Amino acid sequence: MTPDQILTEPLLERIRGRAAHYDRENAFFTEDLEELAAAGYLKIFVPASDGGLGLGLAAAAQLQRKLATAAPATALAVNMHLVWTGVAHVLAARGDSSLDFVLQEAAQGEIFAFGNSEAGNDSVLFDSRTVATPHADGSYSFTGRKIFTSLSPAWTRLGIFGKDNWARAGEGELVHGFISRDTAGYEILDDWDTLGMRASQSNTTVLDGAVVPADRIFRKLPVGPNADPLIFAIFACFETLLAAVYTGLGERALELGVDAVKRRTSFKNDGRSYAQDPDIRWKVAEAAMAMDALYPRLAELSRDVDGLADHGGQWFPKLVGLKVQATETARTVVDLAIRVSGGSSYFRGTELERLYRDVLAGMFHPSDDESAHNTVANAWLGPLETPEQRPR
């Protein structure tokens, strides 16, 4: 199936038509999710032999970009399910079957979400403030606090991780697993009342001894950066699909800005369209050129993941660089679109006003601007010298 057959124009228009309501009421995108599930959208990465669409990351990124033009918050939340199924797909393509059960359960209608982010944990995947306590039967209980848990009202499987402080001779070990909706020992707080991306309902999840059975523990990794394929797969899917959402958001903002410029007229210039104003034209051109630089980079990098390209030590710089470029470009384009659209975009409830709030969430997703620049600098220049290495 092509993206146009999956995300039809009538479906996109219905989703776009609900976005303002979800944002205004701070409500979950229940109807959107039901329609997307019925269209097979949650099975993008599930093999066709199991009833899925059997697509790769490049196609998923194209679809997420398209969905985000209608409802960024819906696309952002759906991302979390697609990241997990995408990770399973990327691992399987590289001969790792450890998350095949994710694709199998997604084929049966289960909805996956991420419960990894923690307040104050700038190590992201390389350390955890959540405590993972081992038990004799191979299970672990998890106690900690996870933030930005998108899909909170709907997930049936939540991926979590924490640190077993006693493992590896006291150096600690990061333990990854999944809990189910009926697992005891967790609470979802009703605390999602944000500036933008309100429909995602990314509530805080408090883990209080939630037990992951041994057969749902799928990775145990050392603390700190490592070359495990799981880390690559998460970065590849998370950063690429995140970039796709913000690319779609920027694309929509440019469309709205162009429409506004063509519609607005200038009193001082005898009622001519603002499309004839050189200063306005420059701003529209600036936004268009910024977006034109983003589309091919998103497409190329997602195709490289599908094609098992070997970028060696440049993989992570490329992935985090794409995320930063997409989120920052989208912010720039939304700002330019508002500037050329005039004061009407300042009013509550207009689509550009909503996009202006939604796009700000991009700065909070990992990898953040500082971390991404550090990653890229290390790849090109090597790590910073330690005090012992500095010349005396």
Side-chain angles (χ1 to χ4, degrees), residues 209-228:
V211 175
V212 176
D215 62 354
R216 305 295 283 191
I217 298 292
F218 63 89
R219 262 319 186 278
K220 298 178 184 179
L221 300 175
V223 174
N226 65 83
D228 190 277

Side-chain angles (χ1 to χ4, degrees), residues 118 128 130-132 142 146 160-164 173-176:
E118 301 167 338
S128 178
T130 296
V131 176
F142 290 77
K146 304 295 187 177
I160 59 175
F161 86 123
K163 183 162 65 175
D164 177 355
E173 182 173 65
L174 301 175
V175 184
H176 295 257

Side-chain angles (χ1 to χ4, degrees), residues 45-355:
F45 291 109
V46 174
S49 58
D50 292 333
L53 300 181
L55 300 176
L57 187 60
Q62 185 178 355
L63 284 163
Q64 282 294 86
R65 171 186 156 188
K66 187 176 181 181
L67 178 58
T69 65
T74 291
L76 183 67
V78 170
N79 244 17
M80 299 304 105
H81 172 84
L82 294 181
V83 168
W84 271 128
T85 54
V87 166
H89 167 81
V90 167
L91 288 176
R94 288 157 176 76
D96 184 331
S97 60
S98 60
L99 285 181
D100 281 1
F101 70 88
V102 169
L103 295 173
Q104 294 162 5
E105 294 183 9
Q108 297 163 5
E110 304 295 348
I111 298 176
F112 289 80
F114 254 83
N116 284 356
S117 296
E118 301 167 338
N121 179 11
D122 53 3
S123 294
V124 193
L125 288 175
F126 300 137
D127 204 344
S128 178
R129 304 179 73 167
T130 296
V131 176
T133 304
H135 301 289
D137 61 357
S139 65
Y140 283 79
S141 57
F142 290 77
T143 300
R145 191 180 185 94
K146 304 295 187 177
I147 61 173
F148 294 114
T149 313
S150 299
L151 291 172
S152 283
W155 62 258
T156 62
R157 303 286 188 266
L158 182 67
I160 59 175
F161 86 123
K163 183 162 65 175
D164 177 355
N165 292 294
W166 302 273
R168 301 184 187 244
E171 294 182 1
E173 182 173 65
L174 301 175
V175 184
H176 295 257
F178 284 96
I179 61 172
S180 300
R181 196 79 186 186
D182 58 1
T183 298
Y186 75 89
E187 179 186 6
I188 298 173
L189 304 184
D190 184 15
D191 62 351
W192 190 249
D193 190 6
T194 50
L195 183 65
M197 293 294 187
R198 289 159 63 81
S200 69
Q201 290 300 293
S202 306
N203 299 312
T204 296
T205 303
V206 179
L207 304 171
D208 186 13
V211 175
V212 176
D215 62 354
R216 305 295 283 191
I217 298 292
F218 63 89
R219 262 319 186 278
K220 298 178 184 179
L221 300 175
V223 174
N226 65 83
D228 190 277
L230 175 68
I231 302 301
F232 169 76
I234 291 176
F235 267 88
C237 294
F238 191 92
E239 303 291 63
T240 302
L241 292 174
L242 194 69
V245 169
Y246 285 89
T247 300
L249 193 159
E251 183 177 357
R252 179 59 177 169
L254 177 58
E255 292 174 356
L256 292 171
V258 168
D259 288 346
V261 167
K262 290 179 177 179
R263 185 178 63 252
R264 294 178 67 206
T265 57
S266 172
F267 179 75
K268 70 177 181 180
N269 288 321
D270 301 321
R272 286 188 300 164
S273 165
Y274 270 97
Q276 303 305 310
D277 184 310
D279 293 330
I280 296 294
R281 293 171 68 88
W282 186 91
K283 288 183 172 63
V284 170
E286 185 79 358
M289 287 189 290
M291 292 304 303
D292 282 344
L294 188 53
Y295 300 135
R297 187 174 183 187
L298 174 63
E300 180 182 12
L301 202 56
S302 57
R303 284 197 303 265
D304 282 355
V305 175
D306 287 338
L308 280 65
D310 183 8
H311 288 301
Q314 287 294 327
W315 257 123
F316 288 98
K318 285 179 180 291
L319 290 166
V320 300
L322 172 64
K323 180 268 174 180
V324 170
Q325 182 185 1
T327 54
E328 292 301 313
T329 296
R331 286 182 64 197
T332 297
V333 170
V334 170
D335 183 74
L336 287 168
I338 285 178
R339 289 175 184 273
V340 301
S341 296
S344 63
S345 60
Y346 190 61
F347 280 79
R348 187 76 171 89
T350 61
E351 188 172 358
L352 265 178
E353 179 265 345
R354 175 164 48 82
L355 295 185

